């Protein structure tokens, strides 16, 4: 990892709060999202989905659907004649269109394209599927037991111990030292079991795309996604196309939070387009989004922690069991890595089990695995503090990881910001504000790795001296603004001289999806390097004009300057002047940078929340919420704050009301925003964001990713707050009113 | 599927009577959801919003007649109606978001026949009457007699509710409706409770009506709950007795929105809290 | 199937269209009239992304049949700015960074404008309850509420 990337400097643009460049389009309704585009001769696609949690597909009769006027294509799995060799691709294909078996309620079994939405709906209704219903399992603990219905045989990895169902496909282990020895040194050891429900990312924009694909294998796809390069690569891999023949353009994206880092239906749209010979628009309904795209995993966790009277954690252990849904994979290993990551521990061991169930394939959701990693750990630490009469912030500070700490998942930390968030929390007025009856205050910490990855950026200096920046990551929350800001900072030009666009897959090299809070870090790093590349070229052009050595040219304030008196006396050449004569000094000027970015700094947050519990109904009201998080360097503080606030709000929903509810029949009972209850405006207080800036050594400006860490602490912070308000420890999420009232009455 | 816009009640009745698969469209906030989900496929949709008498709130014999096409937002903006029957107006105001308020109607909420309909317990304790027009003319029916089961009504072939009548507000009386939902807005009632009381000259409760929603297939108008209040001042003992009676009266089910135990408990809590508000209003304190 | 001819006023322009009975106003706005600023987030009135104003009242255009619009006056997000002059709410949403992904923004702006026309001095609680039918998954609502409150304060100050 390049440790020397960070250099302290005075910023002119970075750290200010300009209006975002895509703002006007978005407040006037002009911005084009996934479903907002049409094409001449376009057809409407629709997907038929299994009503059964688990069923063998004995046959599909599409003849009646094909006979309907206006129906131009009907496809089933038989139409996907290419069989990917890669098992991940084969799983994605099977998830997009079921083969022999429908594995969950909502699994696609057929699709149509027709001249109108209503004809497409009628065609779906005319398709006859012969199902043989099979036994199903949707609960993670049940699915692990020997004898549970098996979702797919032969997928278990060798590292799974004997005695489990084949549904347990993987096991991971982390840690160091000996927790059992540690527990012996403790004054108090608490062991508890916790559960969290599956929650959905809940982006407001359903998946949508517009596809064309010719018999020559050339295609175009317009799609709302967090990664159009990923969509291209996966669609090519699933359909046996050449990636270079498929151009994918990212639409504006109406939220993703990890849920749009996967492919759920785009190969289907392409196949319908190929079969019909027409462009096909395919959009999911909200019901389909809930039933057929991945929520995050539900979890079942055991945690054991020992602490001394003065608050030192002596031993720590946790077992995480997470449901991966209908295909192998899963994120229990991430829970196992993240749970104890905030702490400097001598004895810590964690293990994670990945478990298949008859549910939609679990997907990434903002810091995948980390919230359910932290929730049980932070809950038990809080309970230890209560029982040992310790201040929960002091106790966390006593155990806090810092530079040089060997983390619970392996690496040794460079400079990190956990202590700074804890100290900021201690000195904030929220911490000492009085509480009323039935109110409680909770705190919790959270960790996320952050990520870099493959990144390409191209920066063009136009003939008039303005700058066009191309990047390849969909702008999910203001990243065009921050890229323009970093380019302007590096070039020394006014912000309005730079415009950033999201290039399609044919216009820029490979880019990793918008995940791991990577964009401001990695694309920012590539933007800075691309700008430096352009600056080097411009320095050469100025040197050529002046007839001096390029080494003798400095770049500052958007202009080339002679480096000193010895370089010669020349008036500065501005970017505009250099651009104007570029044709005569060697041709157009552009910088670019291609990198697998490393050095994404880990980030930590501490959250503080006050809740009030209605002792008669179990209803929880969130009264006050403060987020303390290390951003490394906040490029655009408004959007950093927005990430803090948005993550907290999603965590509040997860903690109090959100859950996938399955019936005994294995069907999802609440596939809509009415009964899948994300927070509404009147549910929440203002969420105060406190930005800490502990520079990331791996980024030129010290930037760390900020998008994901903010969802890690809320589950435990609220659970701790509610448990203190109610006087009883809550161990199951969501803490819905019936659960809280039952816990109160059991006391 | 045809779309009809009758301009008189007679036309609407004729259309409705002519086709057993016809559906009445008032605010559409339930019907369109069902259409979209493929749960209903009517042959004709009869939009009643062009029938002028069904779009107004008018005073009648000291009470209020609310047309079947009046959206709840309009009720909420009607100061005199709100002053007389705040519980009914508040209940109507709880149905969905601001956007839903712009469309949803009392009559629609009633005829949708959901056990959890917010306005129904409030109308029931107010003694509201539904006016029904049909092939055989017009009749008035107590609101609680309209829903006959989950999603079912007692309306006959060709009949529709044209208005709701709220009787004159009795002297020294007050009403209130409370519901429990997991969020602060945008949810279906897990339990609902309407209470209306009238006080005598000594400040004792001389008449009371208590109705529970979402705890049985149809609204429960509970005499045993009312009896706990009548003759009392609404003191703590009476309220505790009311809560116990409401818990006993509730016959809920376990479902995705709540458990039997939770609904029974909360029915008692809401009855007590709604009664307090209704009594305070009767005393002119709120 | 014969379609229904509807004449209506949308953003001050007289507009007519043909629709089927089962098409919603949102279907027609988006698919027939290219007014795609109104979004479909749920199709069941639970998210508010399709919010428009019909005869002065907020409605979810997904919960209104297109055929019902005959003779009505409809306002959508596309009619909110006056030419190149943003409505004060639009401007404040930009200044306060009250949007992240922006998919809920049109519906929230339409709803907020209707609130301020009825109540120029709303409390924070009134704003939150008025907008409870407009889901936002990105922001936690904080900056949205501040932008609406600030617009109201500014408008009062200017009056």
């Amino acid at each position: 990892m390049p440790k020397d990337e960070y250099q302290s400097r005075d910023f002119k643009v970075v750290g200010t709060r300009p209006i975002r460049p895509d703002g006007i389009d978005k407040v006037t309704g002009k911005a084009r999202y996934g479903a907002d585009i049409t094409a001449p001769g376009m057809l409407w696609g629709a997907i038929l989905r299994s009503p059964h949690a688990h069923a063998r597909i004995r046959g599909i009769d599409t003849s009646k659907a094909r006979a309907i006027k206006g129906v131009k294509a009907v496809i089933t799995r038989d139409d996907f004649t290419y069989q990917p060799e890669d098992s991940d691709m084969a799983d994605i294909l099977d998830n997009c269109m079921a083969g022999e078996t429908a594995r969950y309620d909502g699994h696609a079994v057929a699709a149509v394209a027709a001249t109108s939405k209503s004809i497409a709906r009628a065609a779906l209704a005319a398709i006859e599927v012969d199902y043989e219903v099979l036994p199903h399992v949707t609960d993670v603990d049940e699915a692990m037991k020997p004898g549970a219905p098996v979702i797919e045989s032969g997928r278990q990895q060798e590292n799974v111990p004997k005695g489990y169902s084949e549904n347990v496909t993987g096991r991971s282990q982390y840690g160091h030292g000996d927790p059992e020895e540690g527990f012996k040194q403790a004054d108090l050891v608490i062991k508890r079991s916790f559960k969290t429900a599956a929650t959905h990312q809940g982006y407001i924009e359903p998946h949508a795309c517009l596809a064309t694909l010719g018999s020559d294998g050339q295609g175009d796809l317009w799609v709302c996604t967090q990664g159009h390069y990923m969509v291209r690569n996966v669609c090519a891999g699933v359909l046996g196309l050449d990636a270079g023949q498929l151009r994918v353009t990212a639409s504006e994206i109406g939220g993703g939070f990890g849920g749009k880092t996967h492919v759920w239906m785009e190969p289907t749209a392409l196949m319908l387009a190929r079969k019909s010979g027409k462009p096909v628009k395919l959009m999911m309904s909200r019901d389909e989004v809930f039933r057929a795209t991945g929520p995050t995993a539900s979890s079942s966790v055991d945690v054991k922690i020992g602490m001394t009277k003065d608050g030192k954690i002596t031993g720590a252990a946790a077992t995480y069991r997470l449901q991966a849904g209908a295909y192998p994979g899963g994120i229990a290993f991430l829970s196992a890595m993240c749970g104890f990551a905030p702490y400097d521990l001598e004895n810590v061991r964690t293990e994670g089990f990945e478990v298949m169930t008859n549910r939609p394939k679990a997907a990434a959701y903002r810091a995948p695995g980390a919230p359910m990693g932290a929730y049980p750990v932070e809950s038990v630490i809080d309970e230890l503090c209560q029982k040992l009469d310790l201040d929960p912030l002091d106790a966390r500070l006593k155990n806090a990881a810092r530079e040089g700490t060997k983390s619970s998942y392996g690496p040794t930390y460079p400079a990190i910001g956990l202590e700074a968030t804890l100290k900021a929390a201690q000195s904030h007025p929220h911490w000492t504000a009085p509480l009323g009856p039935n109110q409680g205050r909770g705190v919790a910490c959270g960790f996320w790795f952050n990520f870099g990855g493959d990144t390409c950026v191209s920066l063009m200096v136009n003939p008039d001296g303005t700058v066009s920046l191309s990047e390849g990551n969909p702008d999910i929350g203001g990243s065009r603004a921050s890229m323009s800001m970093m380019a302007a900072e590096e070039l020394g030009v006014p912000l309005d001289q730079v415009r950033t666009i999201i290039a399609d897959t044919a216009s820029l090299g490979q880019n990793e999806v918008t995940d791991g809070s990577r964009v401001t870090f990695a694309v920012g790093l590539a933007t800075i390097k691309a700008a430096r590349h352009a600056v080097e070229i411009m320095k050469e052009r100025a040197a050529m004009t002046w007839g001096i050595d390029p080494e003798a040219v400095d770049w500052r304030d958007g202009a080339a300057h002679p480096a000193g008196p010895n370089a010669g006396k020349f008036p500065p050449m501005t970017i505009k002047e250099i651009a104007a004569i570029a044709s005569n000094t060697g041709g157009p000027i552009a910088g670019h940078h291609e990198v697998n970015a490393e050095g994404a700094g880990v980030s930590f947050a501490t959250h503080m929340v006050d809740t009030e519990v209605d002792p008669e109904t179990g209803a929880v009201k969130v009264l006050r919420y403060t987020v303390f998080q290390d951003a490394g360097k906040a490029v655009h503080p408004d959007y950093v704050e927005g990430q803090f606030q948005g993550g907290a709000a999603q965590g509040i929903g997860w903690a109090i009301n959100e859950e996938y509810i399955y019936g005994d029949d294995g069907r999802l009972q609440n596939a809509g925003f009415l009964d899948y209850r994300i927070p509404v405006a009147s549910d929440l207080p203002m969420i105060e964001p406190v930005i800490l800036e502990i520079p990331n050594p791996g980024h030129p400006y010290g930037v760390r990713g900020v998008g994901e860490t903010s969802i890690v602490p809320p589950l435990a912070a609220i659970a701790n707050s509610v448990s203190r308000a109610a006087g009883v420890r809550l161990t199951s999420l969501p803490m819905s009113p019936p659960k809280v009232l039952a816990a109160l009455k059991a006391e | 599927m045809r779309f009809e816009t009758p301009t008189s009640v007679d036309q609407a009745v004729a259309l409705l009577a002519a086709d057993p698969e016809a559906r009445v469209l008032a605010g559409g906030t339930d019907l369109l959801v069902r259409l979209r989900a493929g749960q209903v496929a009517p042959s004709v949709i009869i939009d009643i919003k062009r029938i002028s008498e069904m779009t107004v709130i008018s005073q009648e014999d000291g009470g209020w007649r609310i047309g079947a096409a009046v959206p709840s937002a309009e009720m909420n903006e009607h100061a005199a109606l709100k002053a007389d029957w705040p519980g009914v107006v508040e209940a109507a105001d709880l149905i969905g978001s601001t956007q839903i308020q712009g469309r949803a109607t009392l009559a629609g909420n009633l005829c949708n026949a959901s056990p959890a309909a917010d306005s129904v317990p409030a109308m029931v304790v107010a003694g509201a009457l539904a006016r029904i027009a049909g092939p055989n003319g017009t009749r008035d029916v107590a609101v609680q007699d309209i829903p006959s089961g989950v999603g079912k009504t007692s309306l006959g072939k060709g009949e529709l509710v044209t208005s709701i009548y709220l009787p004159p507000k009795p002297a020294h009386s007050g009403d209130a409706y409370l519901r429990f939902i997991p969020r602060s807005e945008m949810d279906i009632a897990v339990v609902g409770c309407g209470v209306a009381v009238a006080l005598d000259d000594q400040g004792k409760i001389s008449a009371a009506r208590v109705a529970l929603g979402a705890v049985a297939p149809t609204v429960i108008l509970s005499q045993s709950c009312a009896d706990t209040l009548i003759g009392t001042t609404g003191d703590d003992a009476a309220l505790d007795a009311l809560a116990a009676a409401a818990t006993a009266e509730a016959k809920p089910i376990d479902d995705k929105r709540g458990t039997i135990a939770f609904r029974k408990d909360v029915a008692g809590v809401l009855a007590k809290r709604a009664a307090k508000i209704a009594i305070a209003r009767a005393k002119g304190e709120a | 199937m014969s379609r229904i001819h509807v004449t209506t006023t949308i953003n001050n322009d007289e507009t007519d269209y043909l629709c089927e009975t089962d098409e919603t106003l949102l279907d027609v706005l988006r698919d027939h009239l290219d007014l795609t600023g109104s979004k479909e987030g749920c199709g069941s009135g639970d998210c508010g992304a399709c919010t428009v104003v019909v005869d002065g009242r907020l409605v979810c255009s997904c919960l209104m049949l297109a055929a019902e619009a005959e003779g009505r006056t409809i306002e959508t997000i596309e009619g909110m700015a006056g030419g190149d002059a943003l409505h004060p709410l639009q401007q404040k949403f930009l200044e306060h960074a009250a949007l992240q992904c922006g998919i809920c923004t049109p519906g929230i702006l339409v709803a907020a404008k209707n609130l301020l026309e009825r109540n120029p001095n709303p409390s924070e609680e009134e704003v939150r309850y008025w907008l409870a039918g407009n889901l936002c998954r990105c922001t936690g609502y904080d900056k949205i509420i501040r932008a609406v409150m600030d617009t109201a304060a500014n408008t009062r100050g200017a009056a």
Side-chain angles (χ1 to χ4, degrees):
Chain A
M1 187 176 75
K3 293 230 174 213
D4 54 347
E5 286 277 10
Y6 173 70
Q7 286 181 313
S8 172
R9 62 192 283 164
D10 292 327
F11 293 105
K12 291 189 171 129
V13 183
V14 165
T16 64
R17 300 174 185 244
I19 286 175
R20 62 196 284 168
D22 53 326
I24 288 182
D25 279 1
K26 286 182 174 165
V27 298
T28 55
K30 284 185 293 202
R32 293 190 303 174
Y33 292 83
D36 294 343
I37 198 165
T38 54
M42 182 187 89
L43 302 175
W44 299 88
I47 295 176
L48 185 68
R49 298 184 179 278
S50 167
H52 304 295
H54 200 191
R56 183 163 296 120
I57 299 169
R58 286 190 291 226
I60 303 178
D61 182 353
T62 61
S63 56
K64 287 178 186 150
R66 288 176 200 278
I68 295 172
K69 224 171 181 162
V71 174
K72 302 297 181 186
V74 182
I75 61 170
T76 66
R77 178 63 176 273
D78 289 345
D79 293 280
F80 293 81
T81 50
Y82 178 77
Q83 181 54 38
E85 283 173 25
D86 178 270
S87 71
D88 287 345
M89 291 293 165
D91 284 346
I92 293 171
L93 170 59
D94 198 70
N95 192 29
C96 286
M97 190 61 72
E100 291 171 0
T101 308
R103 299 183 181 205
Y104 55 93
D105 167 31
H107 198 167
V109 297
V112 303
T115 51
S116 78
K117 280 183 190 167
S118 57
I119 294 173
R121 277 197 294 269
L124 291 189
I127 295 172
E128 292 166 5
V129 186
D130 180 13
Y131 292 105
E132 177 194 346
V133 175
L134 303 171
H136 68 270
V137 60
T138 56
D139 179 79
V140 64
D141 291 321
E142 291 302 315
M144 291 179 75
K145 292 178 183 165
V150 173
I151 287 79
E152 185 186 357
S153 205
R155 301 303 292 267
Q156 191 168 67
Q157 293 172 5
E158 287 173 359
N159 60 15
V160 177
K162 287 200 185 348
Y164 291 109
S165 160
E166 272 199 272
N167 293 323
V168 181
T169 56
R171 181 210 197 195
S172 50
Q173 292 174 288
Y174 299 92
H176 51 256
D178 182 353
E180 289 307 320
E181 280 304 309
F183 296 141
K184 288 178 194 160
Q185 301 160 26
D187 292 308
L188 180 62
V189 177
I190 292 180
K191 183 182 178 192
R192 276 201 184 270
S193 296
F194 296 83
K195 285 208 168 200
T196 68
T199 56
H200 197 274
Q201 301 83 355
Y203 34 83
I204 307 299
E205 181 199 29
H207 299 266
C209 66
L210 173 64
T212 62
L213 183 59
S215 53
D216 58 359
Q218 280 189 41
D220 280 277
L221 187 66
W222 161 274
V223 58
C224 65
T225 175
Q226 288 177 250
H228 43 309
Y229 291 84
M230 174 276 299
V231 171
R232 178 194 63 178
N233 300 346
V234 169
C235 287
V238 162
L239 299 174
L241 304 172
D242 293 334
Q245 296 299 317
L246 181 61
R247 181 176 62 166
V248 183
T249 306
S251 70
E252 294 293 342
I253 177 172
F257 317 110
K260 291 177 183 166
T261 60
H262 307 264
V263 159
W264 308 109
M265 64 170 197
E266 292 77 7
T268 305
L270 287 162
M271 185 59 76
L272 286 168
R274 180 148 80 187
K275 295 287 267 189
S276 65
K278 307 267 190 194
V280 173
K281 182 159 158 174
L282 188 59
M283 306 178 295
M284 281 197 192
S285 65
R286 179 55 51 182
D287 173 86
E288 289 179 284
V289 172
F290 276 113
R291 287 168 68 211
T293 72
T296 190
S298 69
S299 74
S300 166
V301 188
D302 304 324
V303 170
K304 188 175 180 184
I305 303 176
M307 193 180 263
T308 62
K309 275 185 237 167
D310 61 352
K312 184 74 193 158
I313 297 173
T314 55
T319 299
Y320 295 91
R321 299 170 290 267
L322 270 67
Q323 60 98 356
Y327 294 88
I331 53 169
F333 74 102
L334 293 172
S335 303
M337 290 169 86
C338 293
F340 290 105
Y343 302 110
D344 183 358
L345 304 173
E346 276 179 39
N347 301 298
V348 56
R349 295 284 168 184
T350 61
E351 63 178 345
F353 290 97
E354 319 289 356
V355 187
M356 284 172 75
T357 56
N358 290 113
R359 295 193 184 205
K361 180 178 165 62
Y365 178 21
R366 204 170 198 156
M372 53 287 244
Y375 156 64
V377 169
E378 297 291 319
S379 292
V380 170
I381 290 176
D382 193 62
E383 190 174 358
L384 286 163
C385 291
Q386 277 182 302
K387 293 197 168 144
L388 294 170
D389 199 21
L390 296 168
D391 176 298
L393 288 175
D394 281 343
R396 283 175 173 81
L397 266 171
K398 194 172 193 76
N399 296 285
R402 39 182 70 82
E403 185 167 4
T405 294
K406 181 177 169 56
S407 70
S408 58
Y409 64 96
T412 298
Y413 291 126
I416 55 172
L418 177 64
E419 274 186 300
T421 67
L422 284 163
K423 286 178 176 163
Q426 272 185 327
S427 59
H428 193 281
H430 185 169
W431 185 230
T432 46
L435 288 167
N438 301 314
Q439 296 178 0
R441 177 166 299 141
V443 294
C445 295
F447 157 89
W448 183 241
F449 308 94
N450 292 327
F451 185 57
D454 285 342
T455 308
C456 296
V457 164
S458 181
L459 183 149
M460 286 74 76
V461 179
N462 301 311
D464 65 352
T466 60
V467 174
S468 298
L469 185 73
S470 293
E471 55 134 323
N473 279 90
D475 180 349
I476 205 158
S479 59
R480 271 166 295 193
S482 51
M483 294 316 136
S484 293
M485 290 170 76
M486 284 185 269
E489 184 76 49
E490 199 64 32
L491 294 168
V493 300
L495 181 62
D496 63 6
Q497 299 290 294
V498 184
R499 181 173 181 189
T500 301
I501 61 118
I502 314 301
D504 63 51
T505 55
S507 306
L508 206 58
Q510 170 71 16
N511 284 278
E512 172 66 49
V513 296
T514 299
D515 70 355
S517 301
R518 73 175 217 92
V519 172
T520 314
F521 164 74
V523 184
L525 180 134
T527 295
I528 292 165
K529 298 287 177 79
R532 288 179 182 174
H533 181 205
V535 164
E536 286 311 308
I537 296 169
M538 290 190 284
K539 281 160 67 176
E540 287 171 15
R541 302 297 175 86
M544 186 190 300
T545 306
W546 292 331
I548 65 174
D549 194 293
E551 307 291 306
V553 179
D554 270 353
W555 187 268
R556 60 176 187 273
D557 301 330
H561 300 257
N566 295 339
K569 280 192 78 168
F570 305 102
M573 279 187 84
T574 64
I575 187 169
K576 190 172 177 175
E577 289 161 345
I578 296 170
I581 57 165
S583 192
N584 299 327
T585 57
I589 297 166
H592 61 96
H593 193 73
E594 296 76 31
V595 64
N596 180 356
E598 296 183 345
V602 299
S603 96
F604 293 90
T606 299
H607 287 202
M608 189 181 296
V609 57
D610 298 350
T611 62
E612 182 170 321
V613 175
D614 182 334
E616 290 185 316
T617 67
V620 173
K621 185 172 171 56
V622 180
L623 304 171
R624 184 171 182 179
Y625 204 107
T626 310
V627 176
F628 308 87
Q629 187 177 322
D630 174 20
K633 173 68 195 173
V635 176
H636 193 311
D638 276 345
Y639 291 100
V640 171
E641 291 170 359
Q643 292 296 323
F644 290 9
Q645 292 163 332
Q650 289 182 334
I652 290 169
W654 197 336
I656 298 177
N657 272 317
E658 293 179 36
E659 60 179 320
Y660 264 47
I661 303 170
Y662 279 90
D664 291 338
D665 57 5
R667 292 179 183 167
L668 182 60
Q669 297 196 334
N670 58 334
F673 279 137
L674 182 61
D675 285 304
Y676 184 88
R677 304 183 183 91
I678 76 171
V680 302
S682 48
D683 289 339
L684 299 179
M686 292 297 185
I687 296 167
E688 184 181 345
V690 178
I691 301 174
L692 286 305
E693 294 187 325
I694 290 77
N696 169 20
H699 186 277
Y701 297 170
V703 167
R704 296 175 197 268
V706 297
E708 290 167 289
T709 308
S710 54
I711 203 175
V712 182
L715 281 55
I718 294 165
N720 294 342
S721 168
V722 169
S723 296
R724 286 170 182 260
V728 50
R729 181 57 54 177
L730 278 301
T731 58
S732 172
L733 301 186
M735 293 176 288
S736 55
K739 252 187 233 174
V740 175
L741 189 61
L744 283 166
K745 295 191 88 158
E747 266 302 281
Chain B
M1 196 187 306
R2 288 184 298 128
F3 182 74
E4 298 285 352
T5 51
T7 53
S8 72
V9 172
D10 287 348
Q11 283 174 17
V13 168
L15 284 163
L16 202 52
D19 195 334
E21 299 301 313
R23 296 293 286 235
V24 172
L25 169 66
T29 52
D30 289 309
L31 180 61
L32 264 76
V33 175
R34 290 187 182 198
L35 274 177
R36 162 104 182 184
Q39 292 167 352
V40 292
S43 53
V44 52
I45 288 177
I46 303 167
D47 182 2
I48 59 171
K49 290 188 289 297
R50 310 277 170 174
I51 303 170
S52 53
E53 66 180 89
M54 290 172 70
T55 63
V56 291
I57 301 170
S58 52
Q59 196 139 33
E60 184 179 308
D61 300 334
W64 294 98
R65 185 164 295 285
I66 300 160
V70 172
S72 20
E74 222 164 287
M75 294 172 58
N76 202 34
E77 290 160 10
H78 198 296
L81 172 66
K82 206 172 175 176
D84 276 2
W85 294 107
V88 174
V89 174
E90 284 165 5
D93 189 43
L94 287 174
I95 305 167
S97 61
T98 316
Q99 288 85 335
I100 301 296
Q101 291 288 301
R103 299 264 294 168
T105 65
L106 276 189
N109 200 222
L110 178 62
C111 294
N112 188 49
S114 160
D118 282 309
S119 70
V120 173
M123 287 196 280
V124 166
V125 298
L129 299 173
R131 176 155 294 174
I132 297 168
N136 300 322
T138 299
R139 62 195 177 101
D140 289 338
V141 173
V143 156
Q144 61 268 31
D145 293 333
I146 298 287
S148 57
V150 178
K152 296 197 181 90
T153 69
S154 58
L155 295 176
K157 188 169 183 275
E159 286 189 329
L160 78 162
V161 172
T162 60
S163 65
I164 302 291
Y165 180 69
L166 296 175
K169 174 180 145 60
H172 308 297
S173 70
D175 74 328
Y177 172 79
L178 292 175
R179 67 166 181 191
F180 184 85
I181 54 173
R183 288 182 290 193
S184 58
E185 263 286 5
M186 299 304 292
D187 280 329
I188 303 291
V190 179
V191 183
C193 181
V195 177
V197 296
L199 307 181
D200 64 17
D201 294 342
Q202 279 75 49
K204 282 195 172 162
I205 296 169
S206 54
R209 285 162 74 87
V210 178
L212 299 168
V215 290
T218 58
V219 62
I220 295 174
L221 175 59
S222 168
Q223 191 59 46
S224 67
C225 286
D227 288 344
T228 62
L229 293 175
I230 293 169
T232 77
T233 56
D235 54 296
D236 287 350
L239 292 174
D240 287 344
L242 169 64
T247 295
E249 280 278 47
K251 306 282 185 294
I253 55 168
D254 277 326
D255 69 8
K256 62 188 173 187
R257 293 179 184 140
T259 60
I260 291 171
F262 179 76
R263 285 184 157 121
K264 286 178 80 75
D265 278 345
V266 173
V269 173
L270 292 187
K272 196 163 69 174
R273 291 179 182 180
K276 276 188 190 170
I277 298 170
I279 292 165
R281 283 175 173 160
K283 290 177 178 167
E285 292 167 358
Chain C
M1 189 191 322
S2 69
R3 297 200 290 171
I4 303 159
H5 180 229
V6 175
T7 304
T8 180
T9 302
I10 302 180
N11 300 329
N12 287 323
D13 293 329
E14 191 174 296
T15 307
D16 71 328
Y17 54 81
L18 294 172
C19 66
E20 291 173 19
T21 300
D22 66 353
E23 282 185 300
T24 64
L25 177 60
L26 180 62
D27 290 333
V28 165
L29 290 174
R30 291 183 55 83
D31 300 342
H32 299 341
L33 303 175
D34 277 337
L35 294 169
T36 55
S38 304
K39 308 299 182 189
E40 179 166 317
C42 69
S44 53
D46 296 310
C47 81
C50 67
T51 299
V52 300
V53 175
V54 177
D55 287 349
R57 283 204 191 282
L58 287 183
V59 305
C60 288
S61 57
C62 76
L63 287 190
M64 174 171 164
L65 294 175
E68 293 181 69
E70 175 65 38
R72 308 288 188 204
T73 299
I74 295 164
E75 299 159 57
T76 73
I77 183 66
E78 286 89 350
M80 192 161 168
D84 66 351
L86 293 180
H87 184 279
L89 271 165
Q90 293 172 314
Q91 186 61 36
K92 284 293 175 196
F93 267 56
L94 295 180
E95 289 170 11
H96 283 266
L99 55 144
Q100 282 178 36
C101 83
I103 195 89
C104 70
T105 308
I108 290 185
L109 283 167
V110 170
K113 177 170 177 269
N114 193 260
L115 168 65
L116 297 189
E117 284 164 1
R118 289 162 187 275
N119 179 1
N121 188 17
S123 66
E124 181 190 328
E125 191 179 24
E126 285 171 331
V127 177
R128 287 186 180 277
Y129 274 88
W130 185 268
L131 294 178
N134 291 89
L135 299 182
C136 170
R137 190 58 157 172
C138 293
T139 65
Y141 303 102
D142 183 301
K143 292 180 189 298
I144 292 172
I145 305 300
R146 289 179 197 278
V148 175
M149 301 287 288
D150 192 24
T151 309
N154 245 37
T155 310
R156 289 195 306 274

